[in-house]
Every structure is written in C-alpha cells, then in structure tokens.
Amino acid sequence: MANTRKFLLIGDGSEESAAAARYAAHRANNTGGKVAVLAVIEPASVEPWLGVGETMRREAMEEAEAALESLAEDIEGVTGERPELLVREGEAIHCIRKLIEEDESISILVLGSAVKGDGPGPLVTSLSRGRGLFGERAIPVTVVPGDLSEETIKALT
C-alpha cells in the first residue's frame, strides 16, 4: 500500500457529496492525506439515435466536470492542495470497485448520506445490503450525513 493515504469520495453535485467533500478535506488535511473525487457517468439505457446519445453523453460529462470543479475548489480551500479529479463511465459500483483495485493509495471511501428522499442514497444502500462496493481489496467506508454543518465536521475530524 502507498505511503500517503487517499480519501476517495463520489462527486455528483448533491448536498451530501458536498458534506462528504468537506469531511474528506478536513480529514486529509489533519492526517497528511490527499483527496480524490470521482464522478461517474452512467450510460443511458437506450440511445435511439446516435446524435441524441452523443449529446446526452456530452451534457453528462459537462455536468460531471462542473460538479467536480465546485468540489475541488472547496477541498482546495481546506487542504491548500488541488484534489485528484476523476471521471469514469459505467455503473457507479463497478467504477468505484475498479478504481479501488487500481489505486492502492486509496485507503478510505467517504460517502455522503442523503438528507431527504427514500433512503440514504444508492451507494450507501448497496453497501448496507451486503452487495458491497469492493472486489479483492476492501477499505473502510465513512458515511457522512449530508446535513452536517461545517462546525460539526471540523469537530469530528
């Protein structure tokens, strides 16, 4: 395993991913770690026309990059260092699993838990149901409530 601990979080532009980013940034800053932010573009289930599918893909890429950039600014404001920004295409669970297998410096997965809606979010739900996010290399997971204040996050890290 690499010497520098890397906190991986999923950046999707949601309130909970912003809370997870603040938490990961403070933890990395306080422990000498780094932050990596992953945005996943899931393929459209049906692409009836090639032009429409390509436009949808391009728009999804632009949205992912905007979400990553916003989180990067927040993280850099805490750590003084630009996080690693990653965009992958595919099913989120498979992309996370593959990235963890590829990058041994990733040692903690930080997920934000949804504040509103029908549950804590798809990744947290998948993890809690035992289907798992991991392949051969399991890592600890920190689930951050999406409504934690900056003061609470600082106190916890």
Side-chain angles (χ1 to χ4, degrees), residues 39 41 58-70 85 87:
I41 299 172
R58 186 178 62 251
E59 289 172 354
M61 182 67 74
E62 289 170 0
E63 288 175 19
E65 289 171 350
L68 287 177
E69 190 56 40
S70 176
L85 304 178
V87 178

Side-chain angles (χ1 to χ4, degrees), residues 29-65:
N29 191 54
N30 292 339
T31 62
K34 298 197 178 295
V35 178
V37 187
L38 172 65
V40 178
I41 299 172
E42 297 205 16
S45 57
V46 178
E47 294 182 13
W49 298 284
L50 184 58
V52 172
E54 185 55 38
T55 299
M56 291 171 60
R57 183 183 174 281
R58 186 178 62 251
E59 289 172 354
M61 182 67 74
E62 289 170 0
E63 288 175 19
E65 289 171 350

Side-chain angles (χ1 to χ4, degrees), residues 11 14 17 22 47-48 52-53 97 100 104 107 114-115 130 137 144:
S14 66
S17 72
R22 289 190 307 271
E47 294 182 13
V52 172
R97 185 179 298 136
I100 290 169
E104 289 188 11
S107 56
V115 177
R137 191 169 80 85
V144 179

Side-chain angles (χ1 to χ4, degrees), residues 16 113-126 128-129:
E16 55 267 22
S113 176
V115 177
K116 301 173 187 164
D118 295 329
L123 295 175
V124 175
T125 300
S126 177
S128 68
R129 289 192 177 149

